[in-house]
Amino acid sequence: MRVIALLLATLLAGVSAADAEEVVAGLSQDAINITANFEGSEIMIFGAVSRTAPAPQGDLEVIITVEGPSMPVAVRRKDRRFGIWVNTDAVEVDSAPSFYAVATTAGFAATITDTEDLRHRVSIPRAIRAVGLGVADAENFTEALIRIRESEELYQLNEGSVTLRNETLFDTVIQLPANLVEGDYRTRIILTRGGEVLDVYEQDIAVRKVGLERFIYNLAHERPLVYGILSLTIAILAGWMASAVFRYIRA
Amino acid sequence: MQIYLPIAEVSVNAFLLLGLGGLVGILSGMFGVGGGFLMTPLLFFIGIPPAVAVATEANQIVASSFSGVLAHFKRKTVDLKMGGVLLVGGLIGAAIGVQIFAMLTAIGQVDLLVKLCYVVFLGIIGGLMFFESLNAIRKARSAGGVVPPKRRHRGWIHALPFKMRFRTSGLYVSVIPPVVVGLFVGVLSAIMGVGGGFIMVPAMIYLLGMPTKVVVGTSLFQIIFVTAFATLMHATTNYTVDMVLAVLLLVGGVVGAQIGARIGTKLKAEQLRILLAIMVLAVCGKLGFDLLVMPAELYSIGAGASH
């Protein structure tokens, strides 16, 4: 586990409209390498609110989201058929993030209005795109998707985990589990006041397999026949070596 | 020590995998079975996706069968001709099996199929083996000696056409039954991630009437090629062979098999068979129980069709 803190120095860019509030932020790392002994990682996200005028009325809140690559998923439900539990109904969700974490300064409902949530797709259910599901109780399927991914720590809602000091400096830590999918992880920092979005800052974190993991994965997908033959060669060599060693021990 | 499996895309404790490989290796060394029928369900239990577990296990069986067959070649207990005939059926069967597997993965029924196959086959084989060895033990106790197994009447098998002479086995039989046996085992090995020895060995003895001493060697010979073919098919159609997982299981399995072989020599054949039967029935019971009892989570997530 490594926590590299990289400080973003340029705080006050200064060139902004009067009484506007902007986010200036940094991440502890902009790339995560999945190596052979990858056990998950954590990223520290921090920054400051820059403003040119005194802060107006209303509660200033910060929402931080980290979103892994989205892909279509099939959610299936088991039902009892002929005495055994069998997958029966299935729902295709068009697009669901493989990882999604939301961290907020206060309770989620207090940080953003429903309209703004809808517009920016901030909350976990809104981050999932499921249109035209074609089953009567479709919401049970999306709820199940969220429940299962939450239990695997792939979906996280951490209310109050962002610390905001003097309405200016904020930081949080997001835990990434070990079973991460490769891709660009979109990190958003959303600044709200009275539930209305003031500013959104975005940055990508590249999550990549490296070294041997990279090599094996690429080979398996780009040259599957070569990969298959290599797997067999390793297996046959191992089998031959085992019997050779066994013979040597006996002799 | 956690290790990230590049194809399965999960992080698993490396010592757990070595331990599982070792445990199954001990059992396969003791009983002379491949151990795929135990390893594949164990991989499901620790969270390896079923598709990866089945394909990777096929790869691992190549290694353990190869290691086993070398000793049989030395003792000249491999019927290459019979192995070749079985293999013709086996390759066709494995090709069909991989296609069935890919199709069922797409409609989300692959878990059910794999588990049902396990329950049915482990139940039948375990049950037969259990009663057979129980009888053997009883007879050995009452008569004070082992009764030689009576030759089965194989009238209809001899009536079939396309007869071929198998010198090593001392047989003159039709090629249809071995091709069918091979085909059936090929399908199972692609779907269940097993070598299929637990079905092929009894079939060769009781159905084809092969002498017991050439059965294991010939079965191993056939299994190497069928599982190798299944591995290649899985690697090229489903991309589900995890090399890192296979190597870890291999290392554990190789060490375990040697320990198991030593333990095995200290036990009597009937005792070994009854122990194996109990184990087969236990795995079958656990899988069957899971199908019957209402699961804690009724929903599951699978890969969606890409648009």
Side-chain angles (χ1 to χ4, degrees):
Chain A
M1 189 79 62
R2 77 205 95 135
V3 182
I4 311 155
L6 182 142
L7 261 171
L8 191 123
T10 50
L11 271 188
L12 297 159
V15 212
S16 56
D19 79 346
E21 295 178 290
E22 279 188 350
V23 174
V24 188
L27 309 174
S28 64
Q29 54 198 100
D30 58 5
I32 286 169
N33 294 333
I34 299 182
T35 53
N37 55 356
F38 183 70
E39 290 179 43
S41 184
E42 56 179 32
I43 39 170
M44 198 172 110
I45 298 161
F46 52 89
V49 180
S50 93
R51 59 176 75 83
T52 47
Q57 290 296 306
D59 287 330
L60 182 74
E61 306 289 356
V62 179
I63 306 169
I64 296 174
T65 68
V66 176
E67 181 179 359
S70 283
M71 43 194 94
V73 288
V75 184
R76 301 192 174 91
R77 181 170 55 199
K78 286 193 173 64
D79 209 347
R80 196 189 275 269
R81 288 285 145 81
F82 311 109
I84 57 171
W85 291 88
V86 181
N87 285 336
T88 50
D89 299 317
V91 154
E92 279 282 316
V93 175
D94 290 334
S95 151
S98 54
F99 174 83
Y100 194 72
V102 185
T104 57
T105 41
F108 187 81
T111 54
I112 191 163
T113 62
D114 209 40
T115 325
E116 293 282 49
D117 179 20
L118 191 63
R119 183 179 302 152
H120 293 276
R121 296 179 175 280
V122 180
S123 63
I124 296 172
R126 295 253 156 81
I128 296 167
R129 205 168 70 238
V131 281
L133 292 173
V135 173
D137 58 337
E139 67 277 11
N140 285 340
F141 285 81
T142 45
E143 273 167 23
L145 173 65
I146 294 168
R147 184 172 63 238
I148 293 168
R149 292 230 160 131
E150 273 178 346
S151 71
E152 292 170 355
E153 286 171 41
L154 288 170
Y155 287 176
Q156 305 168 10
L157 174 60
N158 303 315
E159 293 175 314
S161 72
V162 178
T163 29
L164 177 66
R165 291 182 196 85
N166 300 328
E167 299 228 314
T168 309
L169 291 168
F170 61 85
D171 69 272
T172 194
V173 170
I174 303 234
Q175 297 288 341
L176 301 174
N179 49 341
L180 279 189
V181 174
E182 266 196 315
D184 288 329
Y185 282 56
R186 185 168 68 127
T187 305
R188 281 185 303 177
I189 300 170
I190 302 163
L191 204 62
T192 65
R193 192 178 282 282
E196 298 296 319
V197 173
L198 297 174
D199 190 29
V200 181
Y201 171 93
E202 273 192 35
Q203 192 181 329
D204 280 352
I205 303 170
V207 174
R208 295 282 183 271
K209 291 178 177 128
V210 294
L212 189 62
E213 312 302 291
R214 163 94 273 152
F215 172 75
I216 291 175
Y217 184 87
N218 280 353
L219 191 66
H221 286 262
E222 286 158 21
R223 314 287 298 273
L225 190 63
V226 174
Y227 176 84
I229 293 168
L230 184 62
S231 305
L232 289 177
T233 312
I234 292 172
I236 288 171
L237 274 179
W240 174 77
M241 257 165 60
S243 80
V245 169
F246 197 29
R247 260 205 314 275
Y248 177 79
I249 291 171
R250 274 190 168 173
Chain B
M1 191 185 79
Q2 293 293 115
I3 190 145
Y4 186 87
L5 304 174
I7 305 298
E9 300 199 308
V10 287
S11 191
V12 186
N13 190 310
F15 296 114
L16 178 69
L17 293 178
L18 287 172
L20 283 183
L23 185 76
V24 174
I26 288 176
L27 297 173
S28 65
M30 271 170 76
F31 302 119
V33 293
F37 71 94
L38 286 173
M39 185 57 97
T40 312
L42 283 175
L43 292 177
F44 298 168
F45 297 153
I46 64 165
I48 308 289
V52 175
V54 167
T56 305
E57 194 45 29
N59 190 27
Q60 201 219 330
I61 293 167
V62 175
S64 52
S65 316
F66 189 79
S67 148
V69 86
L70 289 175
H72 284 277
F73 266 126
K74 241 186 187 151
R75 279 182 254 146
K76 295 197 167 49
T77 49
V78 182
D79 185 338
L80 286 177
K81 202 169 174 188
M82 179 60 87
V85 172
L86 284 166
L87 190 54
V88 170
L91 295 182
I92 300 167
I96 297 169
V98 170
Q99 297 308 318
I100 295 176
F101 194 87
M103 205 179 74
L104 285 159
T105 304
I107 61 166
Q109 298 296 3
V110 75
D111 286 29
L112 178 72
L113 173 82
V114 171
K115 282 175 186 162
L116 277 180
C117 281
Y118 268 103
V119 170
V120 170
F121 289 108
L122 295 185
I124 294 171
I125 301 292
L128 287 175
M129 205 155 44
F130 184 78
F131 289 112
E132 195 253 353
S133 43
L134 209 61
N135 273 337
I137 288 177
R138 252 208 318 264
K139 276 181 188 155
R141 284 217 180 117
S142 61
V146 185
V147 182
K150 59 172 190 282
R151 277 291 235 221
R152 290 278 173 98
H153 185 65
R154 305 186 307 271
W156 63 273
I157 295 252
H158 279 274
L160 292 169
F162 309 115
K163 288 201 173 185
M164 201 184 244
R165 195 168 296 283
F166 299 98
R167 277 180 212 291
T168 320
S169 303
L171 286 177
Y172 181 64
V173 290
S174 161
V175 294
I176 295 171
V179 167
V180 171
V181 168
L183 190 110
F184 185 62
V185 170
V187 172
L188 291 187
S189 91
I191 290 177
M192 295 168 71
V194 294
F198 68 101
I199 286 174
M200 208 159 26
V201 168
M204 286 157 105
I205 295 173
Y206 297 116
L207 204 66
L208 307 178
M210 278 172 71
T212 315
K213 69 174 169 63
V214 295
V215 162
V216 174
T218 309
S219 155
L220 286 175
F221 171 79
Q222 194 263 7
I223 286 171
I224 293 172
F225 290 97
V226 171
T227 50
F229 181 67
T231 305
L232 279 184
M233 293 285 290
H234 277 300
T236 50
T237 59
N238 303 327
Y239 311 105
T240 43
V241 179
D242 198 307
M243 210 186 263
V244 176
L245 178 61
V247 166
L248 283 168
L249 294 177
L250 266 174
V251 172
V254 161
V255 177
Q258 300 190 19
I259 301 167
R262 304 247 160 114
I263 301 171
T265 54
K266 295 200 173 84
L267 291 168
K268 281 193 189 130
E270 306 93 71
Q271 291 171 331
L272 275 175
R273 276 218 301 280
I274 207 157
L275 275 177
L276 180 61
I278 290 168
M279 220 162 54
V280 167
L281 289 175
V283 174
C284 166
K286 162 83 178 120
L287 287 167
F289 184 75
D290 288 350
L291 286 176
L292 289 173
V293 168
M294 183 174 162
E297 176 61 82
L298 281 179
Y299 294 83
S300 62
I301 301 176
S306 41
H307 294 285

mmCIF file of all heavy atoms in Angstrom, chain A residues 63 107-123 126 190 192-197:
data_model
loop_
_atom_site.group_PDB
_atom_site.id
_atom_site.type_symbol
_atom_site.label_atom_id
_atom_site.label_comp_id
_atom_site.label_asym_id
_atom_site.label_seq_id
_atom_site.Cartn_x
_atom_site.Cartn_y
_atom_site.Cartn_z
ATOM 1 N N ILE A 63 -18.745 17.413 -2.736
ATOM 2 C CA ILE A 63 -19.024 16.008 -3.052
ATOM 3 C C ILE A 63 -17.885 15.524 -3.939
ATOM 4 O O ILE A 63 -17.513 16.200 -4.905
ATOM 5 C CB ILE A 63 -20.357 15.844 -3.811
ATOM 6 C CG1 ILE A 63 -21.503 16.495 -3.033
ATOM 7 C CG2 ILE A 63 -20.647 14.364 -4.086
ATOM 8 C CD1 ILE A 63 -22.785 16.608 -3.829
ATOM 9 N N GLY A 107 -24.691 14.753 5.141
ATOM 10 C CA GLY A 107 -25.621 13.747 4.629
ATOM 11 C C GLY A 107 -25.902 14.040 3.163
ATOM 12 O O GLY A 107 -25.986 15.205 2.760
ATOM 13 N N PHE A 108 -26.043 12.983 2.360
ATOM 14 C CA PHE A 108 -26.132 13.185 0.914
ATOM 15 C C PHE A 108 -27.260 14.138 0.528
ATOM 16 O O PHE A 108 -27.071 15.056 -0.277
ATOM 17 C CB PHE A 108 -26.307 11.851 0.192
ATOM 18 C CG PHE A 108 -26.231 11.976 -1.296
ATOM 19 C CD1 PHE A 108 -25.002 12.042 -1.937
ATOM 20 C CD2 PHE A 108 -27.394 12.090 -2.054
ATOM 21 C CE1 PHE A 108 -24.918 12.195 -3.312
ATOM 22 C CE2 PHE A 108 -27.319 12.247 -3.436
ATOM 23 C CZ PHE A 108 -26.082 12.302 -4.056
ATOM 24 N N ALA A 109 -28.429 13.963 1.140
ATOM 25 C CA ALA A 109 -29.601 14.774 0.792
ATOM 26 C C ALA A 109 -29.359 16.259 1.070
ATOM 27 O O ALA A 109 -29.924 17.124 0.401
ATOM 28 C CB ALA A 109 -30.821 14.281 1.548
ATOM 29 N N ALA A 110 -28.498 16.528 2.050
ATOM 30 C CA ALA A 110 -28.252 17.921 2.415
ATOM 31 C C ALA A 110 -27.238 18.591 1.494
ATOM 32 O O ALA A 110 -27.109 19.813 1.476
ATOM 33 C CB ALA A 110 -27.761 17.987 3.861
ATOM 34 N N THR A 111 -26.507 17.806 0.717
ATOM 35 C CA THR A 111 -25.431 18.397 -0.074
ATOM 36 C C THR A 111 -25.854 18.794 -1.485
ATOM 37 O O THR A 111 -25.222 19.636 -2.107
ATOM 38 C CB THR A 111 -24.228 17.442 -0.189
ATOM 39 O OG1 THR A 111 -24.694 16.195 -0.697
ATOM 40 C CG2 THR A 111 -23.557 17.223 1.141
ATOM 41 N N ILE A 112 -26.908 18.147 -1.981
ATOM 42 C CA ILE A 112 -27.275 18.426 -3.366
ATOM 43 C C ILE A 112 -28.784 18.245 -3.537
ATOM 44 O O ILE A 112 -29.387 17.367 -2.918
ATOM 45 C CB ILE A 112 -26.471 17.518 -4.337
ATOM 46 C CG1 ILE A 112 -26.630 17.969 -5.797
ATOM 47 C CG2 ILE A 112 -26.838 16.056 -4.179
ATOM 48 C CD1 ILE A 112 -25.566 17.381 -6.721
ATOM 49 N N THR A 113 -29.381 19.076 -4.366
ATOM 50 C CA THR A 113 -30.821 18.936 -4.613
ATOM 51 C C THR A 113 -31.053 17.785 -5.596
ATOM 52 O O THR A 113 -30.138 17.379 -6.318
ATOM 53 C CB THR A 113 -31.412 20.218 -5.231
ATOM 54 O OG1 THR A 113 -30.784 20.434 -6.494
ATOM 55 C CG2 THR A 113 -31.213 21.427 -4.343
ATOM 56 N N ASP A 114 -32.284 17.324 -5.598
ATOM 57 C CA ASP A 114 -32.614 16.191 -6.454
ATOM 58 C C ASP A 114 -32.418 16.544 -7.935
ATOM 59 O O ASP A 114 -31.960 15.722 -8.720
ATOM 60 C CB ASP A 114 -34.069 15.774 -6.183
ATOM 61 C CG ASP A 114 -34.269 14.293 -6.450
ATOM 62 O OD1 ASP A 114 -33.355 13.510 -6.097
ATOM 63 O OD2 ASP A 114 -35.295 13.940 -7.035
ATOM 64 N N THR A 115 -32.774 17.768 -8.298
ATOM 65 C CA THR A 115 -32.642 18.207 -9.691
ATOM 66 C C THR A 115 -31.185 18.190 -10.124
ATOM 67 O O THR A 115 -30.836 17.723 -11.213
ATOM 68 C CB THR A 115 -33.182 19.636 -9.847
ATOM 69 O OG1 THR A 115 -34.289 19.781 -8.971
ATOM 70 C CG2 THR A 115 -33.579 19.924 -11.264
ATOM 71 N N GLU A 116 -30.333 18.719 -9.255
ATOM 72 C CA GLU A 116 -28.907 18.760 -9.576
ATOM 73 C C GLU A 116 -28.316 17.359 -9.627
ATOM 74 O O GLU A 116 -27.456 17.061 -10.458
ATOM 75 C CB GLU A 116 -28.154 19.612 -8.531
ATOM 76 C CG GLU A 116 -28.504 21.086 -8.577
ATOM 77 C CD GLU A 116 -27.805 21.822 -9.718
ATOM 78 O OE1 GLU A 116 -27.838 21.350 -10.868
ATOM 79 O OE2 GLU A 116 -27.212 22.891 -9.454
ATOM 80 N N ASP A 117 -28.829 16.497 -8.750
ATOM 81 C CA ASP A 117 -28.370 15.104 -8.739
ATOM 82 C C ASP A 117 -28.710 14.452 -10.071
ATOM 83 O O ASP A 117 -27.889 13.758 -10.681
ATOM 84 C CB ASP A 117 -29.036 14.357 -7.572
ATOM 85 C CG ASP A 117 -28.628 12.885 -7.503
ATOM 86 O OD1 ASP A 117 -27.587 12.532 -8.090
ATOM 87 O OD2 ASP A 117 -29.358 12.115 -6.858
ATOM 88 N N LEU A 118 -29.924 14.710 -10.537
ATOM 89 C CA LEU A 118 -30.384 14.153 -11.804
ATOM 90 C C LEU A 118 -29.521 14.659 -12.960
ATOM 91 O O LEU A 118 -29.120 13.915 -13.843
ATOM 92 C CB LEU A 118 -31.852 14.553 -12.010
ATOM 93 C CG LEU A 118 -32.616 13.864 -13.133
ATOM 94 C CD1 LEU A 118 -32.714 12.374 -12.881
ATOM 95 C CD2 LEU A 118 -34.004 14.471 -13.255
ATOM 96 N N ARG A 119 -29.220 15.953 -12.919
ATOM 97 C CA ARG A 119 -28.459 16.565 -14.003
ATOM 98 C C ARG A 119 -27.023 16.042 -14.059
ATOM 99 O O ARG A 119 -26.496 15.763 -15.121
ATOM 100 C CB ARG A 119 -28.466 18.090 -13.822
ATOM 101 C CG ARG A 119 -27.758 18.834 -14.944
ATOM 102 C CD ARG A 119 -27.820 20.331 -14.715
ATOM 103 N NE ARG A 119 -29.193 20.809 -14.611
ATOM 104 C CZ ARG A 119 -29.544 21.901 -13.910
ATOM 105 N NH1 ARG A 119 -28.635 22.578 -13.239
ATOM 106 N NH2 ARG A 119 -30.797 22.297 -13.886
ATOM 107 N N HIS A 120 -26.414 15.929 -12.892
ATOM 108 C CA HIS A 120 -24.989 15.551 -12.861
ATOM 109 C C HIS A 120 -24.772 14.058 -12.583
ATOM 110 O O HIS A 120 -23.629 13.618 -12.529
ATOM 111 C CB HIS A 120 -24.260 16.387 -11.809
ATOM 112 C CG HIS A 120 -24.192 17.847 -12.156
ATOM 113 N ND1 HIS A 120 -23.224 18.360 -12.981
ATOM 114 C CD2 HIS A 120 -25.001 18.878 -11.818
ATOM 115 C CE1 HIS A 120 -23.419 19.669 -13.126
ATOM 116 N NE2 HIS A 120 -24.505 20.006 -12.432
ATOM 117 N N ARG A 121 -25.847 13.286 -12.365
ATOM 118 C CA ARG A 121 -25.745 11.843 -12.083
ATOM 119 C C ARG A 121 -24.755 11.579 -10.950
ATOM 120 O O ARG A 121 -23.716 10.924 -11.154
ATOM 121 C CB ARG A 121 -25.273 11.075 -13.316
ATOM 122 C CG ARG A 121 -26.215 11.119 -14.489
ATOM 123 C CD ARG A 121 -25.616 10.341 -15.663
ATOM 124 N NE ARG A 121 -26.532 10.267 -16.766
ATOM 125 C CZ ARG A 121 -27.545 9.408 -16.828
ATOM 126 N NH1 ARG A 121 -27.752 8.566 -15.847
ATOM 127 N NH2 ARG A 121 -28.361 9.402 -17.857
ATOM 128 N N VAL A 122 -25.088 12.073 -9.781
ATOM 129 C CA VAL A 122 -24.145 11.986 -8.670
ATOM 130 C C VAL A 122 -24.397 10.757 -7.800
ATOM 131 O O VAL A 122 -23.476 9.987 -7.521
ATOM 132 C CB VAL A 122 -24.187 13.264 -7.810
ATOM 133 C CG1 VAL A 122 -23.189 13.163 -6.656
ATOM 134 C CG2 VAL A 122 -23.873 14.483 -8.659
ATOM 135 N N SER A 123 -25.651 10.548 -7.377
ATOM 136 C CA SER A 123 -25.924 9.446 -6.443
ATOM 137 C C SER A 123 -25.743 8.105 -7.163
ATOM 138 O O SER A 123 -25.762 8.038 -8.397
ATOM 139 C CB SER A 123 -27.344 9.566 -5.905
ATOM 140 O OG SER A 123 -28.262 9.430 -6.961
ATOM 141 N N ARG A 126 -28.363 6.985 -9.688
ATOM 142 C CA ARG A 126 -28.379 7.821 -10.899
ATOM 143 C C ARG A 126 -27.170 7.550 -11.794
ATOM 144 O O ARG A 126 -27.204 7.841 -12.983
ATOM 145 C CB ARG A 126 -28.395 9.307 -10.499
ATOM 146 C CG ARG A 126 -29.665 9.701 -9.782
ATOM 147 C CD ARG A 126 -30.558 10.551 -10.661
ATOM 148 N NE ARG A 126 -31.946 10.490 -10.254
ATOM 149 C CZ ARG A 126 -32.473 11.195 -9.251
ATOM 150 N NH1 ARG A 126 -31.713 12.002 -8.532
ATOM 151 N NH2 ARG A 126 -33.756 11.091 -8.962
ATOM 152 N N ILE A 190 -17.368 18.144 -6.781
ATOM 153 C CA ILE A 190 -18.525 19.001 -7.027
ATOM 154 C C ILE A 190 -18.717 19.912 -5.816
ATOM 155 O O ILE A 190 -18.770 19.443 -4.682
ATOM 156 C CB ILE A 190 -19.793 18.142 -7.263
ATOM 157 C CG1 ILE A 190 -19.564 17.203 -8.459
ATOM 158 C CG2 ILE A 190 -21.013 19.023 -7.485
ATOM 159 C CD1 ILE A 190 -20.546 16.064 -8.541
ATOM 160 N N THR A 192 -21.073 22.561 -3.937
ATOM 161 C CA THR A 192 -22.468 23.025 -3.901
ATOM 162 C C THR A 192 -22.651 24.041 -2.776
ATOM 163 O O THR A 192 -21.944 24.022 -1.765
ATOM 164 C CB THR A 192 -23.453 21.861 -3.666
ATOM 165 O OG1 THR A 192 -23.214 21.313 -2.371
ATOM 166 C CG2 THR A 192 -23.336 20.788 -4.723
ATOM 167 N N ARG A 193 -23.596 24.898 -2.987
ATOM 168 C CA ARG A 193 -24.026 25.809 -1.906
ATOM 169 C C ARG A 193 -25.546 25.816 -1.931
ATOM 170 O O ARG A 193 -26.140 26.046 -2.982
ATOM 171 C CB ARG A 193 -23.461 27.217 -2.107
ATOM 172 C CG ARG A 193 -23.629 28.108 -0.885
ATOM 173 C CD ARG A 193 -23.041 29.457 -1.079
ATOM 174 N NE ARG A 193 -21.581 29.521 -0.947
ATOM 175 C CZ ARG A 193 -20.931 29.532 0.216
ATOM 176 N NH1 ARG A 193 -21.582 29.447 1.344
ATOM 177 N NH2 ARG A 193 -19.624 29.631 0.245
ATOM 178 N N GLY A 194 -26.133 25.492 -0.793
ATOM 179 C CA GLY A 194 -27.584 25.383 -0.714
ATOM 180 C C GLY A 194 -28.124 24.336 -1.676
ATOM 181 O O GLY A 194 -29.230 24.462 -2.198
ATOM 182 N N GLY A 195 -27.316 23.333 -1.937
ATOM 183 C CA GLY A 195 -27.773 22.240 -2.793
ATOM 184 C C GLY A 195 -27.582 22.498 -4.273
ATOM 185 O O GLY A 195 -27.777 21.606 -5.092
ATOM 186 N N GLU A 196 -27.207 23.722 -4.643
ATOM 187 C CA GLU A 196 -27.007 24.047 -6.061
ATOM 188 C C GLU A 196 -25.531 23.874 -6.415
ATOM 189 O O GLU A 196 -24.654 24.271 -5.646
ATOM 190 C CB GLU A 196 -27.418 25.505 -6.338
ATOM 191 C CG GLU A 196 -28.889 25.798 -6.058
ATOM 192 C CD GLU A 196 -29.831 25.017 -6.968
ATOM 193 O OE1 GLU A 196 -29.521 24.899 -8.169
ATOM 194 O OE2 GLU A 196 -30.857 24.503 -6.472
ATOM 195 N N VAL A 197 -25.284 23.297 -7.586
ATOM 196 C CA VAL A 197 -23.903 23.055 -7.997
ATOM 197 C C VAL A 197 -23.242 24.359 -8.440
ATOM 198 O O VAL A 197 -23.771 25.095 -9.277
ATOM 199 C CB VAL A 197 -23.844 22.008 -9.140
ATOM 200 C CG1 VAL A 197 -22.434 21.878 -9.692
ATOM 201 C CG2 VAL A 197 -24.344 20.664 -8.637
#
